[in-house]
Amino acid sequence: MNMQNLTVMAPPAPRGLEQMQLPLVMMRDILLKTIFRKNVENVTEIAEAICLPSSVTQELVDIAREQKLLEATGTLNANSGNEMGYQLTDAGKARALDALSQSEYFGAMPVPLDIYREQVKRQSIRNIQVTRDQLTNAMGHLILPDSLLDHLGPAVSAGRSILMYGPPGNGKSSISNGIRDALGDHVYVPRAIEYSGQVITVYDPIVHTEVEQEPEDPNALRRRRRFDTRYVMCERPTVITGGELSLNMLDLVYNPTARTYQAPLQLKSTGGIFIVDDLGRQAEPPQALVNRWIVPLEESKDILALQSGEKFEVPFDTLVIFSTNFHPNEIFDQAALRRIFFKIKIDGPDQENYLKIFALVARKKGMPLDEAALVHLLKRKYPTIDNVYANYQPVFLIDQMIAICEFEGIPYQMTPELIDRAWANMFVKDEKIVK
């Protein structure tokens, strides 16, 4: 049974080169390129730059020295704990430049794909269990019917795909963000992974939020057990795309100048959430987008391709949330719908919840409520649109009244007249414009 807030097992730091499972030439070349580019000199600095323990780094340094690519400077640096300094030999510089011509990647040693797969299992999105209270607290800023949480809760806990559909302006995007906030724990994101000798960068500070950690006390009797620093401890990631999403954004991104790869969006969202907002507004047909997800959604793996055309599998461990204003039957065939595990309709609020939202927004924005204005709104205005309420409308109307009050130079207030002026901006009259 899944348990909530299980501590994710941290990736253990490698204890020797034999545990790295990377080609020795690749590790040596990354070492040389990093020393060349970052001008680091002692083992502590080099270890920090390539994100390996000092003992493993020393093994690499010793190999490079044996191959006459590194040499000791013969001086101890007092600012570096009296460590021996090292520098590239002429042969080392030539090898570093040759390696840079093949790939500009330097810095953190990549994690082999097979080792990363094991970490993905340890921190799978399907290992968490979100309770009703946690989901409610994460969405405390929203007024939602209990029946909606009845459907959302099992969907989130299952870690399976979700399709939210319904009229625009009813909080589908806000609900998606609330789901993200409900997860609450941390995962370890590799700075880069390696497959077939190619380096693929994964960690992206735009997508990933690093969790700050307390610095270690050097005088402490016991040191905390450190995890493999080739990973970054982050909040569970969330990738949000909208109308700009295209199929090529789901492929590996190759930089021909640096000759390196960058992970696609769905790989960056591993262990977290991938939100496809406004489905149906993309240049690609919705059916084509969902077809691209069929194998990942069914088999928990994705297939990517290198520039050479070689294809390989990567883990797909992501809660995918599709959000659309269209009815699913209008944009998908039944085969595609069958592969989306949960289908949840997000309707507008009833009158009671609409008034709760209105009061909540008014209090937050400092707008005093007025009974006559509210009666005018409910009895005169909403009947003109068949009493169809939407979650966005209270925010829109109150913001409009605030703008009017500020323009007129009067205190914030709510009157039938101001309701009329605000209402006039909420809809565009259906009329023919004479040219």
Side-chain angles (χ1 to χ4, degrees):
M1 180 178 178
N2 293 343
M3 297 295 291
Q4 172 65 23
N5 292 334
L6 280 175
T7 301
V8 170
M9 180 179 173
R15 297 183 178 180
L17 287 180
E18 71 281 354
Q19 292 186 2
M20 294 290 293
Q21 298 183 34
L22 289 170
L24 184 58
V25 171
M26 168 184 268
M27 291 190 287
R28 183 206 64 191
D29 285 352
I30 290 177
L31 172 81
L32 299 177
K33 289 189 288 184
T34 303
I35 293 173
F36 183 82
R37 287 292 193 212
K38 291 198 167 187
N39 197 31
V40 284
E41 296 181 353
N42 60 68
V43 169
T44 297
E45 293 174 341
I46 298 169
E48 184 176 350
I50 63 176
C51 299
L52 289 181
S54 293
S55 58
V56 181
T57 303
Q58 185 67 61
E59 288 185 64
L60 273 177
V61 168
D62 290 343
I63 290 172
R65 289 185 70 189
E66 290 173 4
Q67 297 177 357
K68 310 298 184 184
L69 301 172
L70 273 182
E71 61 185 1
T73 60
T75 58
L76 297 177
N77 190 335
N79 294 326
S80 304
N82 291 324
E83 287 189 65
M84 179 66 71
Y86 297 95
Q87 64 184 14
L88 295 171
T89 63
D90 289 341
K93 291 177 184 177
R95 179 58 205 162
L97 289 169
D98 183 52
L100 284 166
S101 71
Q102 298 174 46
S103 169
E104 278 283 343
Y105 183 83
F106 64 92
M109 285 289 171
V111 178
L113 179 57
D114 286 341
I115 292 180
Y116 175 52
R117 284 194 182 99
E118 296 304 312
Q119 183 60 32
V120 171
K121 292 178 183 176
R122 290 193 284 263
Q123 60 193 30
S124 173
I125 189 75
R126 298 186 184 182
N127 289 345
I128 66 172
Q129 179 74 39
V130 176
T131 66
R132 181 182 289 271
D133 285 345
Q134 288 162 335
L135 197 57
T136 301
N137 290 338
M139 300 189 185
H141 60 299
L142 303 175
I143 304 294
L144 301 175
D146 290 337
S147 59
L148 178 56
L149 293 179
D150 292 342
H151 295 294
L152 277 177
V156 176
S157 292
R160 304 292 290 272
S161 53
I162 302 172
L163 171 63
M164 293 193 295
Y165 66 98
N170 283 311
K172 292 185 289 297
S173 299
S174 298
I175 291 170
S176 298
N177 292 330
I179 291 173
R180 172 197 61 193
D181 296 340
L183 299 181
D185 60 346
H186 304 142
V187 294
Y188 295 87
V189 178
R191 300 175 192 274
I193 59 176
E194 177 270 343
Y195 172 77
S196 191
Q198 300 297 319
V199 178
I200 303 166
T201 58
V202 178
Y203 174 71
D204 182 346
I206 296 176
V207 171
H208 302 109
T209 302
E210 183 175 359
V211 177
E212 291 188 10
Q213 301 178 71
E214 295 180 6
E216 285 193 1
D217 181 359
N219 299 317
L221 294 178
R222 295 185 62 185
R223 295 286 188 94
R224 291 200 311 272
R225 185 179 180 183
R226 289 183 61 86
F227 61 86
D228 187 343
T229 54
R230 291 179 294 169
Y231 293 81
V232 181
M233 187 166 71
C234 300
E235 297 177 5
R236 287 194 179 266
T238 299
V239 172
I240 303 176
T241 63
E244 78 283 1
L245 179 63
S246 60
L247 286 173
N248 61 12
M249 294 170 67
L250 306 178
D251 296 330
L252 279 175
V253 180
Y254 180 69
N255 183 329
T257 302
R259 291 164 293 281
T260 58
Y261 290 91
Q262 185 178 129
L265 294 175
Q266 71 275 18
L267 186 55
K268 291 181 180 181
S269 69
T270 298
I273 300 176
F274 192 112
I275 300 172
V276 183
D277 208 359
D278 286 330
L279 188 63
R281 306 293 182 192
Q282 293 79 12
E284 311 277 0
Q287 185 71 49
L289 287 171
V290 171
N291 286 347
R292 171 62 179 80
W293 294 91
I294 286 177
V295 169
L297 291 176
E298 287 193 338
E299 302 183 20
S300 298
K301 65 182 182 182
D302 197 8
I303 299 174
L304 301 177
L306 299 173
Q307 283 291 104
S308 64
E310 180 182 357
K311 295 183 178 181
F312 62 103
E313 294 179 1
V314 294
F316 185 86
D317 186 74
T318 302
L319 172 59
V320 182
I321 301 177
F322 300 102
S323 174
T324 182
N325 299 330
F326 296 94
H327 192 282
N329 290 338
E330 295 177 9
I331 56 177
F332 300 127
D333 61 24
Q334 290 304 309
L337 281 176
R338 187 175 69 248
R339 290 174 168 90
I340 300 176
F341 208 69
F342 292 91
K343 277 77 75 174
I344 302 174
K345 187 179 182 184
I346 310 295
D347 278 318
D350 57 19
Q351 187 180 94
E352 179 182 356
N353 279 331
Y354 175 86
L355 289 173
K356 288 181 181 178
I357 296 170
F358 202 99
L360 185 68
V361 174
R363 182 168 61 251
K364 183 178 179 180
K365 292 180 176 288
M367 171 65 76
L369 292 173
D370 179 79
E371 183 177 354
L374 287 174
V375 169
H376 178 74
L377 178 64
L378 297 179
K379 299 298 184 183
R380 295 293 182 90
K381 292 301 178 185
Y382 273 99
T384 65
I385 58 168
D386 298 324
N387 294 314
V388 175
Y389 302 98
N391 285 314
Y392 80 93
Q393 292 166 351
V395 177
F396 185 94
L397 292 171
I398 290 170
D399 281 347
Q400 287 281 328
M401 287 187 282
I402 287 174
I404 294 169
C405 290
E406 290 178 347
F407 173 73
E408 301 290 356
I410 58 177
Y412 288 178
Q413 55 190 277
M414 189 180 298
T415 67
E417 179 192 1
L418 290 177
I419 289 287
D420 286 342
R421 291 176 67 177
W423 185 272
N425 281 326
M426 195 157 65
F427 303 102
V428 176
K429 186 178 180 180
D430 189 10
E431 59 184 344
K432 185 175 182 180
I433 297 178
V434 179
K435 298 181 180 179

